[in-house]
Amino acid sequence: MNPVQKPGMRPEIPYFSSGPCAKRPGWSVSALADVLAGRSHRSGPGKAKLAEVIERTRAILKIPDDYRIAIVPGSDTGAVEMALWSLLGARGVQMLAWESFGAGWISDVTKQLKLDDVLLLEADYGALPDLSRVDFDRDVVFTWNGTTAGVCVPDGEWISADRQGLTICDATSAVFAYDLPWDRLDVTTWSWQKVMGGEAAHGMLVLSPAAVERLETYTPPWPLPKLFRLTKGGKLIDAIFTGATINTPSMLAVEDALDGLQWAERIGGLAALIDRSKANLKAIEDWAARTAWVDFLATVPDRRSRTSVCLKVVDGTVAALSNEDRTGFAKRLAGRLDREGVAYDIGAYRDAPPGLRLWAGATVETSDLEKLFPWLDWAFAEVKADLIDNNRG
Ligand SMILES: Cc1ncc(COP(=O)(O)O)c(C=O)c1O
């Protein structure tokens, strides 16, 4: 018997996936009506659309004028790999990781690029490594927000202002949700499919003057595929940073990216995006504070992500289960909500500890989260009642 009554109200938009993320409120395919279909991306209007994405992005995120911005293939992964393959090897590297994406970049650098002077600074899911131990004489690779752990760096104060190495930041689930300190970031990457709810496929790559200098003065010893090449004859290929993409982009995805950026401008820019995300996290924190069965995976409150909020089930009966059974429990919980059509794709990432993950970026309405909480309580009670019944049987 479930002691919790089935809620009457349902979230209007049940999309809480951590990527691709919910579209902006009010989105429909009519937002794509002005798409440059059937035309070359290298035509005047094509290049203008691509340049518009770059310049609106610069304005909203307040990226300094002397930083270069490119639209690149392969989403965030493409942008990060491009940076690692093009820049690393000039000096020692320090790799930071506290969840699966950071761990993936470590694997690239040690097993694929096979760099030998690599220091690792790692922490388990829920924690952050000791940032005071980072050596900024090295190139430093890190993730601003660990999407699969729901743990982010607290700010940019730990990053040295007079560093010798470059900082390479995978900011895919942080940009448009945090005020990033551009003066501390030499390479910043993200995908369109994350915080702004755009279409997948393309990534963004932002380079500081120091990163450009490295590109123009250092040639890695390994071959670089065309998709990764940012220089020609020792000079940056300028055109890539004004909208002449390396290869063919989807103009539908471009139109959608523009729609998202224009929405951000209409609602008040970066400050408004950040406020929406903070309000969403606050709503989840308030619910978690009054809910005995759930807690954050992040162990320190100011390191909790305000985009990918990862939760664990701390109810005694469930916590006592084996890891495999806790995974099964969390999957049944997410499955129940999916079948009810009230929350899609909220299971923890496959490599993360069992639990739930709620996307709380700006495209999610706080009112929809508020409507979801009673369903979470209901589904938890349902799945727990089944567990107790099965144990009895
Ligand atoms: C921190 C982080 N890095 C990289 C990726 C990969 O992004 P994409 O699939 O857009 O390449 C993700 C996707 O969730 C992510 O969260």
Side-chain angles (χ1 to χ4, degrees):
M1 262 290 287
N2 184 348
V4 179
Q5 226 194 338
K6 198 166 181 175
M9 302 247 278
R10 314 163 74 81
E12 264 150 58
I13 301 175
Y15 302 137
F16 301 100
S17 148
S18 292
C21 302
K23 295 288 193 194
R24 63 153 171 97
W27 184 93
S28 76
V29 283
S30 63
L32 308 177
D34 286 340
V35 61
L36 194 77
R39 291 286 312 270
S40 167
H41 61 295
R42 303 208 189 274
S43 65
K47 270 212 256 183
K49 293 243 184 214
L50 290 154
E52 192 183 335
V53 171
I54 291 175
E55 286 320 317
R56 285 188 192 273
T57 299
R58 186 189 297 282
I60 292 170
L61 296 176
K62 303 185 193 82
I63 299 174
D65 287 345
D66 57 349
Y67 279 45
R68 313 304 299 268
I69 308 176
I71 297 166
V72 300
S75 208
D76 180 59
T77 310
V80 176
E81 303 265 359
M82 210 168 184
L84 301 182
W85 257 251
S86 304
L87 294 163
L88 294 188
R91 51 171 62 232
V93 181
Q94 178 132 44
M95 303 289 301
L96 276 58
W98 53 96
E99 49 80 67
S100 71
F101 284 103
W105 306 139
I106 290 182
S107 160
D108 267 15
V109 166
T110 55
K111 298 200 180 115
Q112 300 297 322
L113 288 177
K114 298 187 175 27
L115 294 183
D116 43 26
D117 188 7
V118 181
L119 286 184
L120 306 184
L121 196 54
E122 294 174 275
D124 276 342
Y125 279 88
L128 199 64
D130 179 358
L131 299 175
S132 70
R133 290 180 48 212
V134 178
D135 174 3
F136 288 100
D137 278 348
R138 293 168 169 268
D139 291 333
V140 177
V141 181
F142 72 102
T143 305
W144 193 278
N145 176 62
T147 320
T148 65
V151 174
C152 61
V153 295
D155 50 39
E157 292 305 308
W158 57 282
I159 303 173
S160 162
D162 56 0
R163 59 196 173 276
Q164 297 300 307
L166 299 175
T167 49
I168 300 177
C169 174
D170 172 356
T172 196
S173 55
V175 74
F176 297 108
Y178 291 85
D179 207 355
L180 297 181
W182 295 107
D183 63 326
R184 307 291 163 103
L185 303 176
D186 294 306
V187 178
T188 311
T189 68
W190 68 92
S191 12
W192 287 355
Q193 51 98 359
K194 275 279 187 294
V195 182
M196 299 302 289
E199 285 304 288
H202 304 298
M204 299 297 288
L205 177 73
V206 177
L207 301 178
S208 74
V212 172
E213 191 193 333
R214 169 76 63 82
L215 282 171
E216 293 188 333
T217 53
Y218 167 70
T219 307
W222 44 79
L224 273 186
K226 176 177 173 179
L227 276 182
F228 287 1
R229 260 178 265 149
L230 294 165
T231 58
K232 192 172 179 193
K235 292 300 290 174
L236 194 72
I237 307 173
D238 264 316
I240 296 177
F241 299 86
T242 55
T245 48
I246 297 174
N247 67 331
T248 312
S250 155
M251 294 310 284
L252 263 177
V254 167
E255 200 60 31
D256 194 58
L258 281 174
D259 173 70
L261 294 168
Q262 283 163 323
W263 169 72
E265 289 160 4
R266 284 199 299 278
I267 65 166
L270 182 61
L273 297 171
I274 291 174
D275 284 350
R276 286 175 65 86
S277 206
K278 279 185 175 169
N280 285 342
L281 174 59
K282 169 85 170 53
I284 298 171
E285 285 179 330
D286 290 350
W287 166 69
R290 59 177 192 265
T291 306
W293 64 267
V294 80
D295 199 0
F296 289 85
L297 189 55
T299 48
V300 179
D302 80 343
R303 290 173 187 177
R304 283 176 194 157
S305 169
R306 65 175 79 122
T307 56
S308 60
V309 181
C310 296
L311 301 166
K312 57 186 177 183
V313 177
V314 292
D315 171 83
T317 311
V318 180
L321 299 172
S322 67
N323 193 55
E324 194 186 343
D325 287 345
R326 278 187 288 128
T327 302
F329 187 93
K331 278 193 175 158
R332 287 199 295 283
L333 185 49
R336 220 28 96 99
L337 295 161
D338 182 300
R339 281 202 302 286
E340 291 290 338
V342 291
Y344 295 119
D345 314 319
I346 64 164
Y349 190 73
R350 58 180 184 269
D351 300 331
L356 300 175
R357 183 172 55 163
L358 297 176
W359 185 254
T363 58
V364 170
E365 298 277 22
T366 310
S367 56
D368 279 335
L369 283 166
E370 298 284 7
K371 287 179 195 137
L372 175 62
F373 301 142
W375 283 98
L376 285 163
D377 292 332
W378 170 81
F380 168 75
E382 284 274 302
V383 179
K384 186 173 169 188
D386 286 353
L387 177 77
I388 292 169
D389 278 354
N390 287 345
N391 285 350
R392 264 199 216 110

